[in-house]
Amino acid sequence: MVNRTNILITGLLLLLMFLLPVSMATAQNVTESQEQSEDELYNHIKSNISVYNQHTEMVPGFVKSLVGNEEILVLIEKNNNDTLLIKAVTENAEITQFDKIENESQMNPTVKVTTNEETVHSLMNSDDPIETFKQLREDGKLDIEPVGVTKKAVFWVSERIFNLFG
């Protein structure tokens, strides 16, 4: 039987996917570069989706029902002050769509994630993505904002449960 800590950690990993797909032990190493183009950053994040999706069976059903079916708008402020906009769609915690978009009006998100390129690299290069994720959120470098009253309530409850047991 899976203990509560494992369930909550798995739930946090699901929240991590709102920013980028992280494969637990098999994520590719990233060579950081201040001059990395938007396509390189986007392509690197996208290249990890299949690895992430291979681990979605670990996400408990109740977590999938709470936060596993989303339309996510990801805004990444690039080092060159451009903004990379990504539309990510999840179904049962699996990422089914991951596309660059030109502007926010191209979608109706249920979750909005705002961060910067440095934060993305910190997560992708972390040996402990869960702890890094928590620290980045505490430092205000990663904002996950549910859209709508119902989503806000679901996320509020999810965060309280995680804080209680995590």
Side-chain angles (χ1 to χ4, degrees), residues 60-92:
F62 83 92
V63 175
K64 288 180 184 179
S65 68
L66 285 176
V67 292
N69 298 300
E70 305 297 339
E71 186 170 316
I72 305 148
L73 172 61
V74 182
L75 296 100
I76 302 172
E77 185 180 323
K78 305 270 294 133
N79 293 336
N80 64 6
N81 294 323
D82 287 341
T83 302
L84 173 60
L85 299 173
I86 298 172
K87 175 182 181 177
V89 176
T90 63
E91 294 177 17
N92 293 319

Side-chain angles (χ1 to χ4, degrees), residues 100-117:
K100 282 193 301 187
I101 59 173
E102 295 299 317
N103 60 58
E104 294 181 46
S105 66
Q106 291 179 258
M107 62 181 294
N108 187 23
T110 57
V111 178
K112 186 175 179 180
V113 177
T114 307
T115 191
N116 60 43
E117 186 173 354

